[in-house]
Amino acid sequence: MSNPMKPMRAVRGICQSICVILLQLTCGVLSAQRPERGVKNIVLVHGAWADGSGWKGVYDILIKDGYNVSIVQEPETSFKDDVAATKRTLALQSGPCILVAHSYGGSVITEAGTDPSVAGLVYVAAHMPDSGENEADDGKRFPSDLAKSGAIKKTPDGFTYIDPAEFHELFAADLPGDRAAFMARSQVLNFADNFSATITTAAWRTKPSWMVVAGSDRTINPDLERWYAKRAHSHAVEVAGASHSVYVSRPKEVADVIESAARALSK
């Protein structure tokens, strides 16, 4: 005599299995739709006499580690234009971001970094003026070898560049000669007035900041970078022996600082 309960138990078991599968599928869909927590957007800003291609090494590391990276190409025709170019890229971000800059780009992100999308700022061998200041005057606190060298030249229409014969020694001493030569010959000429542009509101006053100090920098005096970091209460990391081109020559160390900032801001 057959047991009539057995088919019912079998049906119940099948229904339970289907429910479990549907629940797992639903959770998977919801998980996929849930936005990833943390700061994953990085915006990189180059400095004077350079372009965004110098960030390639840092970019490759950040992309490999799962970050969304954008690189600003400032025209260097005016400080206002460079700030606008940075804000234009910030407007394309899908969430909070970390704004990173090298050299003169530090002044640019100090002005542009008040944008609501910016969660934190990373300065890489960069200027970090306060409101009402400009980098030219700040540089006089701790003059650099470049400033004292006479290697900064100016075109008749007011754009500056570094004498290619002195570029390697003063800007990129820890890079191979052929690479430094290419950088010297591909300089983006920077309008001279950009260096005396006054900051209206310093973003680092209200947002956390990090500073990468290039220990052997001859373009910006390392003591000025240390002074900037101390004044802003920045998280400072010094790369011993690094030239001003630390973002090119030491991409791993620079990327590590950026990722450390991202982790800190994601807590």
Side-chain angles (χ1 to χ4, degrees), residues 28 41 81 128 136 139 157 173 207-208 213 230 241 244 248 255:
N41 299 315
D81 289 345
M128 198 178 189
D157 59 347
K207 299 185 180 185
V213 176
K230 183 177 181 180
H244 188 61
V248 181

Side-chain angles (χ1 to χ4, degrees), residues 58-75:
V58 173
Y59 169 90
D60 288 343
I61 294 169
L62 294 175
I63 289 292
K64 180 177 178 293
D65 291 344
Y67 291 90
N68 307 312
V69 185
S70 302
I71 300 174
V72 179
Q73 294 282 22
E74 304 116 278

Side-chain angles (χ1 to χ4, degrees), residues 28 40 47 51 65 89 98 118 121 129 131 134 142 154 183 237 243:
K40 303 298 289 184
D51 66 18
D65 291 344
T89 299
I98 294 175
V118 177
L121 305 146
S131 302
N134 65 70
F142 302 93
K154 187 185 290 187
M183 291 171 64
V237 176
S243 76

Side-chain angles (χ1 to χ4, degrees), residues 101-208:
H102 173 249
S103 193
Y104 154 76
S107 295
V108 175
I109 71 167
T110 295
E111 185 75 12
T114 55
D115 189 279
S117 67
V118 177
L121 305 146
V122 178
Y123 293 81
V124 181
H127 282 287
M128 198 178 189
D130 201 353
S131 302
E133 294 179 354
N134 65 70
E135 68 175 73
D137 288 342
D138 282 347
K140 295 173 184 175
R141 297 175 185 271
F142 302 93
S144 68
D145 290 344
L146 173 63
K148 294 180 285 187
S149 70
I152 299 177
K153 307 300 182 182
K154 187 185 290 187
T155 64
D157 59 347
F159 283 78
T160 64
Y161 63 97
I162 298 175
D163 184 345
E166 299 186 68
F167 188 96
H168 189 189
E169 178 184 355
L170 294 172
F171 197 91
D174 58 349
L175 286 173
D178 58 345
R179 187 161 189 186
F182 179 80
M183 291 171 64
R185 292 299 178 181
S186 62
Q187 292 182 64
V188 179
L189 276 61
N190 192 49
F191 191 52
D193 289 354
N194 293 350
F195 299 122
S196 56
T198 301
I199 301 298
T200 58
T201 304
W204 55 263
R205 281 288 180 186
T206 56
K207 299 185 180 185

